[in-house]
Amino acid sequence: MEEAKRAKFPVSKGAALVVAMLASGLSQAGWYDSGKVLATGGVSMIDGAGGGGITPWATITGYGTKEGINGDLHYTYAPLANYTLHSLGAAVGFWDRFELSYTSSALTTGSTFDTVGLVADTLGGVTGSLAGTPINTGIEPFNTTIEMESIGAKVRVFGEAIYDSDNLIPQIAIGGFYKNNKNEDLLKTLKADKAKDWEAYISATKIFFPINTLINITARYTAANQTGLVGFGGPDGSDKEIRPEISLAYLLRKDTVIGIEWAQHGDNLEGESVEIAGLDLTGLQPTLEALGLGNVSGTLTQHESDWYDVFVAFFPNKNLSITMAYAMLGNITITPDQHGFYMSLQASF
Amino acid sequence: MKQIFRTIAMIFVLCLAASPSFSQTGKTETYPPIDSDALEQFGGPEGVRNWVESLFYYIMLDNRINHVFREFGNIERQIYLNTQLLQLVLGGNEVEYQGASMAAAHADLGITLTQFNAVVEAAYNACERIQLTYEACNLMIAGLAPYKHAIVTR
């Protein structure tokens, strides 16, 4: 019921709401606060929540303490071998207790799916003329783009990540995302089960000052393929599973943090081929061979790898953070070795 | 869902029960423990004194918090007591803390977390001012951090 309600909630209005709340937080001086110590607001992860680069932390985004509201605008750019991710959004932290975020991601796929497009076109020429129905794979002739919106909410449940150095209780937060992937046709071609879905997570974050280290452990309950950029679930449905994520950060200076992250990914589409007009390409092997495209179905097998990254985050002041990372995302759909640089900017108020 | 919350609450209570009580008259018990040579890293009692003087220099320049310390009066006395306190939490045992308890000293001041954090920022600036390593500075942060509960009352 709750999910249905949220699904109907227009996403663009959600974004407007976040911006409006951000603006109201700014205009009402009594609400505004930027009292956290430099860097302790964390950076923005690609789904928009406060955290590391790919993992949400238990910290609430922005520099607001329990005395006020603060927020950020964030932009992430990750040019990989076959894809480029642009992710732009806003997030607001309320009284260091709640967090709301909105992020719009665009994954341009360059020439990745040109082979699929070629096959579809060729098949379209053959089967289309037979069946009389055009094939829509969601693949444009040039620069196919996957767009996704993520709305996130997080609540800090208990614990103190920073100052409770005399006990081992971490800061715990629970949160969730509602993600709406807009290239439904391409997701169908890639055999994902759903284009819209929610995911939930619980994060535990703690700083250990005597060893200058921050540890975050997150368990995410999700059915996402590549965080949802390749939809949710696969041919066997979209049952969610719990996937662990870990961030380890070393505090190098009061304004510089380096670290590594790992996020487990699923295998909903592992070993699957692509599907065109309801037909798996494997089943089309004889047709493809007749067309001289015999090896296509083999090279179009999908895989998904766990994500890793190595990052350095720099906080020149409380209004800006710059994160540079090397992201190792492995196999993404039909292309292997998707590694590359990652840059994320966060402006706080 | 209810059961998850109950489990979380139980773990929370167990952790609280297991955590040691914080004592003001000695080295702060942190996880992991503060280095055994923390006081030496700080440059001994003299280094601590330099740091505290430097801390008050930055505090008195910060308009968010200087009035609180000014109202408290006798900055020299505050520097003296803080020097004793920091030596103790870093593991020095040659010194006796002569001030009131942290809770008693701050009870009526209505210190906010924002003000507490401003002192932490001044503390980092003071570390840089006396050329202390960031790692040694974090030993001090670890040692003083638990006082937040006694100091922040609003």
Side-chain angles (χ1 to χ4, degrees), chain B residues 1-35:
Chain B
M1 207 62 186
K2 232 180 194 173
Q3 215 153 21
I4 294 172
F5 278 118
R6 205 174 295 154
T7 313
I8 290 171
M10 268 175 65
I11 292 168
F12 181 56
V13 170
L14 283 173
C15 287
L16 270 185
S19 73
S21 61
F22 180 68
S23 132
Q24 203 179 289
T25 51
K27 189 175 180 181
T28 309
E29 300 293 331
T30 63
Y31 295 90
I34 292 173
D35 298 0

Side-chain angles (χ1 to χ4, degrees), chain A residues 33-38 65-67 96 157-160 162-170 172 174 202 207-212 250-256 318, chain B residues 5 8 12 15-16 19-20 22 28-35 64 112-114 116-117 120-121 124-125 128 134-135 138-139 141-143 145-146 148-149 152 154:
Chain A
D33 183 63
S34 62
K36 274 187 199 161
V37 175
L38 185 68
T65 65
K66 65 183 179 190
E67 290 146 44
D96 203 27
V157 185
F158 64 78
E160 160 63 61
I162 300 167
Y163 288 125
D164 283 0
S165 59
D166 58 344
N167 64 49
L168 287 171
I169 305 167
I172 301 283
I174 52 174
I202 178 163
I207 295 180
F208 299 95
F209 280 112
I211 51 169
N212 312 294
Y250 185 80
L251 317 173
L252 209 56
R253 295 185 354 164
K254 68 177 186 184
D255 60 1
T256 312
K318 282 191 190 177
Chain B
F5 278 118
I8 290 171
F12 181 56
C15 287
L16 270 185
S19 73
F22 180 68
T28 309
E29 300 293 331
T30 63
Y31 295 90
I34 292 173
D35 298 0
R64 295 174 296 176
T112 66
L113 187 56
T114 300
F116 184 83
N117 286 341
V120 171
E121 287 173 350
Y124 276 114
N125 286 335
E128 287 172 0
Y134 177 68
E135 291 73 22
N138 275 342
L139 298 177
I141 296 287
K148 186 201 119 183
H149 297 293
V152 177
R154 230 170 40 182

Side-chain angles (χ1 to χ4, degrees), chain A residues 43-67:
Chain A
V43 298
S44 296
M45 46 93 59
I46 52 166
D47 294 318
I54 58 175
T55 297
W57 292 355
T59 51
I60 299 297
T61 199
Y63 280 101
T65 65
K66 65 183 179 190
E67 290 146 44

